[in-house]
Each structure stands twice: as structure tokens, then as C-alpha cells.
Amino acid sequence: NNKNHFIQQSTIRNIGIRATTSDYIVSTNVDIIFPNRKDLLEIISKNENESKHVFYTINRKNVDMLMTTAIYNNTHTEPDKLRNILSQYVSFRATPNDIDPIGMFKQEAIKQLDPSTSLYQEYVKYARIWNCGDFQMAHRDIWFDIRGFEEGMLDSAMGTDSNLQKKVCNYGYKLEILNKPDVFHMSHPARSSQAKRSNDLDYWFVNFDKSRNNESW
């Protein structure tokens, strides 16, 4: 009956991962417009055997939510038509993060973190881009081997997706950051719950090795 009680996002995502029957599983968010199935299958099919051992993260590109809604309402709800219009918009605008997300991440991270610290080194090595959790895709065997998302981490707080990517590498899989196909993020005001809660990044990131989830995750 506690109105403040809620189920952690990591747990919810893990329930979805455990329930799925597909070979490849995508983790994304409700404010994301993701690529069509054909584009995603092309990523996998380039080297199908290798893809089973690769964890793919696609950089997001920000688009205005109201603009996107207006376009959607005038494209007769054709998803590919909407994607094409947004791709043209992003290409025309071409922010530095749209062009070189890994390079921009390093530049911005050094403004926020002391480059001599372990935390900075770990973030640059494993997070690789800002908002890395907006689109992550891997074969189900990878998700099950690493035991999904860490359920002990706080929801709506920093580090859950970066932790996942470090865990992927620690388990011997390849982490690949892509900038195409386009993944669009509909920009919106920050959630009020953010910044009120924080994960212990020394515990969950810097000094993290293998999953701390139990076998029945």
C-alpha cells in the first residue's frame, strides 16, 4: 500500500528478456523511434556468425517531440515515411553528436569528470556514447549469459546501461557502437525523479566484474 513503492525498471526489462522467444532482443525506451526490421536484420546478416557474439548499441539522434508528432499526424501513420523525413531533418541539422558521437562523448565527459580518475577511464571505455541505453541489441544468448540488467541498481538513476555494457565486455563479448541506421529520440523535459537518486558508481561500475543478479534473475 506504500504509494512510493514501484518495480525497478531493470526488473521489468529482465522479465521481458526472459519471456521473449526471438533470437535477438532489443532494449529501448518509449520515447525512441527505432529503425525498421529490415535495417536491423541487415546489421545482423552482415556476419551472422559473428553477430551472435556482438552487443550492438546505436547512437540516438534528438528530434523535437512536437515536431515529430505533427509529422506523424500528416504522414498517414506510415512509419518508414516518418523515419525518412526525420532522417532528412537530422542530416540537414547535423549536430556534432549526430556525426561523431564517440568523439563528442569523450569531449563532454572530460568536462564533467577528472580524466585522471578511474570513473572517467571506465566511462570512456565502456559507455562510449551518451544515453547508451536508448537502443541496445544482442543475441538472446548474450542477454541470458550476462543475466540481463542489474536488479540491485536504482531505477531512474545514472549508470544502469553503462554497467550493462561493461558487463558485456567482462563476459568476453564484443561491444559495437553504431551511428546508423538512425535511432530518433523525441526530446522531452527531464523526469522529476532524476537527480534525486544515485547509484554507487564505484560499486556498480568502477569495481564491477560479473553479474550480481542471482540465478533466477
Side-chain angles (χ1 to χ4, degrees):
N1 296 324
N2 185 347
K3 66 179 181 180
N4 293 319
H5 178 74
F6 60 92
I7 299 176
Q8 297 283 48
Q9 184 181 130
S10 296
T11 302
I12 295 171
R13 290 178 187 263
N14 285 348
I15 290 171
I17 291 168
R18 293 294 295 263
T20 188
T21 58
S22 61
D23 290 334
Y24 284 84
I25 300 171
V26 169
S27 175
T28 187
N29 297 317
V30 296
D31 53 9
I32 293 296
I33 298 174
F34 45 85
N36 61 32
R37 184 182 181 87
K38 176 177 175 291
D39 289 337
L40 296 178
L41 289 176
E42 283 183 2
I43 295 172
I44 296 166
S45 63
K46 284 181 180 179
N47 190 332
E48 191 167 352
N49 290 329
E50 181 183 351
S51 290
K52 294 178 181 179
H53 305 281
V54 178
F55 188 92
Y56 298 98
T57 297
I58 306 181
N59 175 54
R60 82 180 198 185
K61 292 161 184 172
N62 289 316
V63 293
D64 181 79
M65 181 176 285
L66 293 178
M67 177 195 74
T68 303
T69 303
I71 295 172
Y72 177 79
N73 290 334
N74 287 283
T75 55
H76 307 292
T77 67
E78 295 179 23
D80 280 338
K81 190 171 183 179
L82 173 63
R83 292 188 188 98
N84 288 336
I85 294 172
L86 293 177
S87 289
Q88 293 175 30
Y89 166 76
V90 168
S91 178
F92 176 77
R93 179 197 59 192
T95 68
N97 191 66
D98 296 335
I99 299 169
D100 182 18
I102 294 176
M104 284 303 300
F105 174 71
K106 290 180 179 178
Q107 289 183 34
E108 292 301 313
I110 206 169
K111 296 177 184 178
Q112 300 182 27
L113 298 171
D114 183 342
S116 67
T117 62
S118 297
L119 180 57
Y120 171 83
Q121 299 296 332
E122 295 286 292
Y123 261 116
V124 170
K125 183 176 181 179
Y126 296 111
R128 303 280 297 280
I129 57 173
W130 293 118
N131 306 293
C132 59
D134 276 328
F135 196 93
Q136 296 169 313
M137 177 178 73
H139 193 276
R140 64 181 292 108
D141 289 349
I142 297 178
W143 288 104
F144 276 71
D145 190 21
I146 68 175
R147 300 184 181 180
F149 291 86
E150 290 301 301
E151 296 179 2
M153 298 187 76
L154 294 171
D155 192 21
S156 300
M158 187 177 181
T160 53
D161 303 309
S162 300
N163 163 278
L164 182 76
Q165 297 195 168
K166 179 173 183 180
K167 184 162 57 168
V168 163
C169 296
N170 285 352
Y171 277 75
Y173 298 105
K174 179 182 178 182
L175 174 62
E176 186 167 339
I177 306 297
L178 303 176
N179 203 28
K180 287 286 186 177
D182 288 330
V183 167
F184 305 107
H185 169 254
M186 293 184 288
S187 299
H188 54 82
R191 291 171 294 178
S192 60
S193 61
Q194 285 183 321
K196 293 181 180 179
R197 301 156 57 81
S198 62
N199 287 304
D200 182 343
L201 296 182
D202 284 329
Y203 180 81
W204 288 109
F205 195 61
V206 176
N207 299 315
F208 186 86
D209 183 15
K210 298 296 181 72
S211 180
R212 292 166 180 158
N213 288 339
N214 59 40
E215 292 183 1
S216 61
W217 65 277

